[in-house]
Amino acid sequence: MRVLCLGDSIMQYNDFSTYPQTGWVQELRRFFPDTTEWLDFARNGRSTKSFIDEGRFTRVMTEAKKGDFALIQFAHNDEKIADPTRYTSPEKGGAFRKNLSYFVRELRSKGVLPVLLTPMARRMFENGVLVNSHGDYPQAIVETAAEENVPCIDMNALTMAFLSKEGEEKSRRFYMNFDAGLYENFPEGKADNSHLRPDGAYAFSRICAAEIKKISGQFPEYAALSDSCMSGTACRFDDIGENAEIDDEYTVFEK
């Protein structure tokens, strides 16, 4: 099974040079068999508009094959109204909705099954209360998915609920918001409440995986995706043979 990923820096694969920044899809892989192939086309700073204008969607279509699944998650950069190269309006009839529909229809034409996702919540608290920083964009995605009859995972609502429960201080560990001296790549620290660290990428991907598991209930054609998600563990504690866990604690501490 192959999963295509279309989005921005929150989804993008990060290598050693930007550690600890982690695209959430990097952790989503943990919830699927290791035979699953991930094609991550997400790139830093891209909106639906720039993703198309730069030819990135053309590359997606070149690689796409019948039977693939696609996770599509934009909004962070579409929201940048001062930047005409990236901004798109979320209003009905606006470019944001049109671009999402274009992605869905083109991918379907190649036999790909797309899933639309609303953006991950930013860690923005006001007087101790988490606020929705994405305005009308999440609702535009939900409505577009309904119009195109494709699954939608409302990650904005789900991650907002999660962060609200964690609270302002505890939730800091999920984001690129940390003090100086912790990471070699960022010796002066960072105060970024949009991009994720490994703990955040894992927490959010776990939330998403639980929703992917449910998709086939309403969309039976997505059964391969849902059934593969959270389908087992890499190594069970009762395994025997070469995958067995060796517990030598008793030997080391035997009196």
Side-chain angles (χ1 to χ4, degrees), residues 144-168:
T144 301
E147 291 170 1
E148 299 295 340
N149 194 31
V150 295
C152 180
I153 300 177
D154 192 351
M155 290 302 297
N156 184 59
L158 292 165
T159 54
M160 283 191 68
F162 174 78
L163 294 173
S164 294
K165 184 177 180 180
E166 288 291 316
E168 185 170 4

Side-chain angles (χ1 to χ4, degrees), residues 7-162:
D8 53 35
S9 57
I10 313 301
M11 180 185 271
Q12 174 181 310
Y13 174 83
N14 284 258
D15 64 14
F16 72 96
S17 65
T18 53
Y19 184 83
Q21 185 170 318
T22 307
W24 70 270
V25 167
Q26 291 179 245
E27 293 295 320
L28 184 63
R29 300 178 185 208
R30 294 179 182 272
F31 298 89
F32 286 82
D34 59 9
T35 54
T36 305
E37 185 177 353
W38 298 83
L39 285 73
D40 195 342
F41 295 94
R43 289 296 180 273
N44 178 61
R46 272 57 183 190
S47 68
T48 58
K49 173 177 169 55
S50 62
F51 198 83
I52 294 169
D53 290 347
E54 294 175 2
R56 295 184 181 277
F57 187 63
T58 299
R59 291 173 57 190
V60 172
M61 290 299 290
T62 299
E63 292 287 341
K65 299 178 181 178
K66 182 178 181 180
D68 289 348
F69 296 92
L71 304 180
I72 305 170
Q73 184 182 54
F74 287 93
H76 277 82
N77 299 298
D78 288 84
E79 299 166 8
K80 297 181 177 178
I81 195 167
D83 186 349
T85 67
R86 293 188 286 183
Y87 174 71
T88 62
S89 170
E91 297 178 357
K92 290 186 177 180
F96 184 63
R97 297 178 189 235
K98 289 180 179 178
N99 290 343
L100 292 176
S101 291
Y102 172 68
F103 290 153
V104 167
R105 294 173 184 179
E106 289 296 301
L107 286 166
R108 274 180 161 171
S109 74
K110 292 202 70 171
V112 178
L113 295 176
V115 179
L116 292 182
L117 300 94
T118 63
M120 304 298 185
R122 294 186 179 96
R123 179 180 169 271
M124 292 183 62
F125 285 84
E126 293 182 1
N127 299 318
V129 178
L130 186 72
V131 298
N132 174 26
S133 71
H134 293 297
D136 295 330
Y137 287 84
Q139 187 59 31
I141 297 168
V142 170
E143 291 178 3
T144 301
E147 291 170 1
E148 299 295 340
N149 194 31
V150 295
C152 180
I153 300 177
D154 192 351
M155 290 302 297
N156 184 59
L158 292 165
T159 54
M160 283 191 68
F162 174 78

